[in-house]
Amino acid sequence: MSHPPRRTALLCAFAAGTAVLLPLPAQAAPTPTRIHFGACPDSVPRPAAPETVECGRLDVPLNWDDPAPNGPRLRIAVSRVRASGTAAERRGILLVNPGGPGGSGLPYAVTKRAKLPESVRRAYDVIGFDPRGTGLSSPVDCGAMGGLFDSDRPDADPVPVDPRAESAYLRSLRALADDCATGVGDKSLPYLSTEQTARDMDAIRAALGERRTSFLGVSYGSYLGAAYATQFPYRVGKMVLDSVVGPWDWYDFDVVQSRALLRQRDTFFGWTAQHPDRFGLGDDIEAVRDAYLRVRDGLRARPVDGFGAVAFDRAVYRALGRTERWAGLADGLRTYLRDGTPGTLRPATALGSPDSRTFEAANRTVKCADGPGPTPGRILADLRRTHRLDPQPVLTGMEASACAFWHHRPARRTALGSPAAPPVLLIASAHDPVTPIEGARELRRLLPGSRLVTLDDDYSHGVFASRGNACVDSTAAAYLVDGRVPAGDVRCAGPGLPVVTADS
């Protein structure tokens, strides 16, 4: 596959999603004084009347540490839904980020805002933005990414099982890194980092004429918020970090997550076994596990319309993170065993779709720009340890493994947290496998005065204005609107495992 020239690899046009780095005139200011808002692209949903969403763009330096006026620029896409309350009720701006890294935040201003408590909607202009390298903000292109999008062949398996497969796995990671270096450009790779994105966030604040940035970040968004607090502690207003990524190197986080997914999958097997009449996969954990492995082995040996072991593992990864998806996963296993089709296992959007390609490329480029990567020897050692825990793990989330072969490996990791930041509200689900709760406990140490809100007996990723829990939502709303910081950590009663009904 051919790749775009390196000098034009970072895309900048807001409307079309394609363009080049922008060399601005020498007299241009580092950032514009205002964002000029207008109509949004079709990818942004419209809120219910009478509210409206508007979109604009902001030019920022590729490298904030050397923001030469005539140097390379990126174009950041921004969306806004204004506060619905009175001027007296308004509290400023609330930037939001949905996670990733690689998630598009432009539509999130609409979709997340619709779920927020009314008091928060009345108080804040909700600001969405696509972080650099994602969505419509100079999206990165890593081309074939080492064959990532062509991997559902009969001989493809994302889990190496022997030395020959391990060698092939490392070669694919090297090829992925090479493709990103070619597609994005060696000189641009270092600046697609969380640290630089945090600078973009402050440029958005300045362009909107606000003194403070309030922020709601979910998953990777928590990492981004913590990085903003490091660089701009005195510009933080209120900050809610939900489903917190731990303050570790990305590869270390990926390993922690992979082990948590094994525990969550066992919980899923046990839950499914409690409902043999509903799912028909057996009445004990080992029977369900055997059914699971038969489905995966069958799809690995003979993919169905491009749906093989790689796609199956991705479907499992996605389903394990939200308990409301467990019934669909169990039904998909039953459907395949019954008639040989993936059924509800198949995602609505294929891995090779344009949005998916941008997400996967941005995910690696951000993770590898944020700090040092692992060595190939460390990767193999961790693979073998994981195999000893379970012979058939889920490695879908191990994106930072590619950083072992990255063309630019930072000597230091992104700094997170600051003792100078105001109290921050951290929110976590007690059994979230995607961002395990120990990450929230570790980050709290770097944000003195912060509080941790835990949703007990819950197994899902994404909590505030997501799980419908009144205790969590009211605590966060009181903090955001009235500045009420809980006296101590808060524990909220969770829903437990999903209740199965005949039509669930």
Side-chain angles (χ1 to χ4, degrees):
M1 174 179 284
S2 61
H3 299 280
R6 293 184 183 182
R7 64 183 176 85
T8 61
L10 286 177
L11 311 179
C12 298
F14 174 57
T18 59
V20 297
L21 295 174
L22 303 177
L24 298 185
Q27 68 271 20
T31 58
T33 55
R34 289 184 178 275
I35 300 173
H36 297 286
F37 286 97
C40 289
D42 292 341
S43 59
V44 178
R46 274 44 179 177
E51 295 173 356
T52 60
V53 60
E54 51 191 354
C55 293
R57 56 192 184 187
L58 179 69
D59 292 333
V60 299
L62 173 66
N63 177 11
W64 276 103
D65 294 323
D66 185 20
N70 60 345
R73 314 282 288 179
L74 302 178
R75 185 156 287 175
I76 306 300
V78 182
S79 60
R80 176 173 66 184
V81 181
R82 291 185 180 273
S84 59
T86 65
E89 291 174 294
R90 189 178 183 277
R91 298 292 184 269
I93 57 171
L94 181 69
L95 269 68
V96 293
N97 179 273
S104 172
L106 202 66
Y108 198 61
V110 177
T111 58
K112 186 63 177 181
R113 183 184 182 278
K115 301 175 183 178
L116 293 174
E118 183 181 2
S119 60
V120 179
R121 298 197 304 269
R122 294 182 64 84
Y124 286 97
D125 294 350
V126 178
I127 309 298
F129 69 103
D130 285 347
R132 55 172 59 200
T134 71
L136 294 174
S137 292
S138 307
V140 293
D141 181 3
C142 286
M145 294 189 70
L148 179 68
F149 307 110
D150 302 312
S151 52
D152 274 313
R153 307 177 307 273
D155 61 339
D157 191 331
V159 181
V161 294
D162 55 41
R164 182 178 178 181
E166 289 176 346
S167 296
Y169 179 70
L170 293 180
R171 287 196 300 272
S172 72
L173 295 177
R174 183 185 293 276
L176 192 160
D178 290 345
D179 284 346
C180 284
T182 301
V184 179
D186 283 347
K187 293 183 179 180
S188 298
L189 287 174
Y191 307 112
L192 297 171
S193 67
T194 299
E195 186 175 272
Q196 294 282 333
T197 298
R199 305 279 286 274
D200 297 340
M201 286 172 54
D202 203 57
I204 293 171
R205 174 203 59 78
L208 293 174
E210 299 285 342
R211 294 181 60 249
R212 297 281 187 271
T213 300
S214 289
F215 181 73
L216 166 60
V218 181
S219 195
Y220 164 71
S222 68
Y223 192 93
L224 178 58
Y228 184 87
T230 300
Q231 298 185 66
F232 305 103
Y234 301 109
R235 292 179 187 161
V236 174
K238 304 296 184 294
M239 183 172 284
V240 174
L241 306 182
D242 181 6
S243 300
V244 178
V245 172
W248 308 303
D249 290 340
W250 277 115
Y251 177 78
D252 292 336
F253 168 79
D254 288 352
V255 172
V256 170
Q257 183 192 84
S258 70
R259 307 290 165 77
L261 285 167
L262 289 179
R263 297 191 294 271
Q264 184 86 331
R265 194 179 61 182
D266 283 345
T267 302
F268 164 75
F269 289 156
W271 172 82
T272 305
Q274 293 173 8
H275 308 285
D277 294 337
R278 169 65 177 80
F279 300 115
L281 297 175
D283 59 2
D284 64 73
I285 289 179
E286 290 308 314
V288 177
R289 183 191 299 274
D290 178 69
Y292 172 94
L293 293 175
R294 282 187 284 130
V295 173
R296 190 182 188 282
D297 288 344
L299 289 167
R300 178 182 57 80
R302 186 173 298 167
V304 178
D305 296 329
F307 190 91
V310 174
F312 175 80
D313 282 1
R314 288 183 174 278
V316 171
Y317 177 91
R318 179 179 182 275
L320 290 179
R322 298 279 295 191
T323 54
E324 60 265 34
R325 298 170 183 159
W326 287 13
L329 175 57
D331 282 337
L333 299 176
R334 179 184 59 181
T335 298
Y336 178 84
L337 291 173
R338 185 183 63 206
D339 59 25
T341 61
T344 53
L345 296 174
R346 189 186 292 277
T349 303
L351 175 61
S353 69
D355 287 347
S356 173
R357 286 175 177 267
T358 298
F359 176 90
E360 298 295 342
N363 187 281
R364 273 75 172 183
T365 53
V366 172
K367 283 188 171 184
C368 296
D370 276 354
T375 64
R378 166 93 189 275
I379 291 172
L380 293 183
D382 284 327
L383 282 173
R384 291 163 187 165
R385 291 190 191 100
T386 303
H387 269 300
R388 288 195 289 271
L389 293 173
D390 192 292
Q392 189 56 71
V394 179
L395 301 181
T396 300
M398 297 290 294
E399 297 100 348
S401 297
C403 306
F405 301 100
W406 214 244
H407 286 228
H408 173 84
R409 298 177 62 176
R412 62 180 178 86
R413 62 180 300 279
T414 298
L416 302 177
S418 170
V424 168
L425 202 65
L426 309 174
I427 302 177
S429 168
H431 304 289
D432 179 359
V434 181
T435 52
I437 193 170
E438 54 261 42
R441 293 168 179 152
E442 289 294 325
L443 184 61
R444 180 175 52 179
R445 296 190 179 99
L446 303 179
L447 291 163
S450 62
R451 301 288 187 264
L452 175 59
V453 180
T454 301
L455 184 58
D456 286 329
D457 201 20
D458 185 73
Y459 296 77
S460 286
H461 184 61
V463 182
F464 172 49
S466 179
R467 303 298 291 151
N469 185 274
C471 171
V472 171
D473 291 355
S474 62
T475 301
Y479 165 80
L480 286 170
V481 177
D482 300 322
R484 282 187 282 178
V485 179
D489 289 345
V490 178
R491 303 193 76 99
C492 297
L497 294 173
V499 176
V500 173
T501 61
D503 57 354
S504 65

